[in-house]
Amino acid sequence: AGDHVVGRRRALLALAAALVLAAAVAAAYPQLVVSDADRDRLAALVAAGDELGLIHALGDLVSAAGAFGWTTYGHTGVDVPLYGVNAPAALRGNVDNTVVATALAAHFNLDL
């Protein structure tokens, strides 16, 4: 596998492990609610090495925290309308997907 794939797997496993094991996550990110059932689900996926399952599970958690959802887990390669209430100016109009990622990372105080 390419370095980017290996890096992505490591990042997914590290994030899932942090959510499963670290109580400090709740204090650092109060908007990210991780229930015991979520922790059990993530722990099972980490143990199974189920990368796609982790992507979906983590996506569900982040979507719930951000109050948004998805219509697909696949990539279509076409522009997709993104709507928000009180969106920052950087997210208004036609923007690159990396701008969306950067804005979400800033909101959640993440370092991409």
Side-chain angles (χ1 to χ4, degrees):
D3 289 343
H4 67 286
V5 173
V6 172
R8 184 183 75 203
R9 283 190 186 132
R10 271 194 221 125
L12 280 170
L13 291 173
L15 177 57
L19 291 172
V20 170
L21 302 173
V25 171
Y29 302 101
Q31 68 275 34
L32 185 60
V33 177
V34 182
S35 69
D36 289 339
D38 292 329
R39 283 188 182 87
D40 291 346
R41 178 182 176 199
L42 291 171
L45 292 167
V46 168
D50 183 351
E51 182 180 342
L52 185 59
L54 278 172
I55 290 170
H56 290 185
L58 293 171
D60 291 345
L61 290 172
V62 171
S63 295
F68 57 86
W70 310 97
T71 58
T72 180
Y73 286 105
H75 186 304
T76 62
V78 298
D79 288 343
V80 177
L82 179 65
Y83 300 93
V85 177
N86 297 322
L91 293 180
R92 294 182 186 156
N94 190 13
V95 298
D96 188 76
N97 64 340
T98 58
V99 174
V100 176
T102 302
L104 287 172
H107 176 77
F108 289 108
N109 296 321
L110 300 173
D111 181 16
L112 297 180

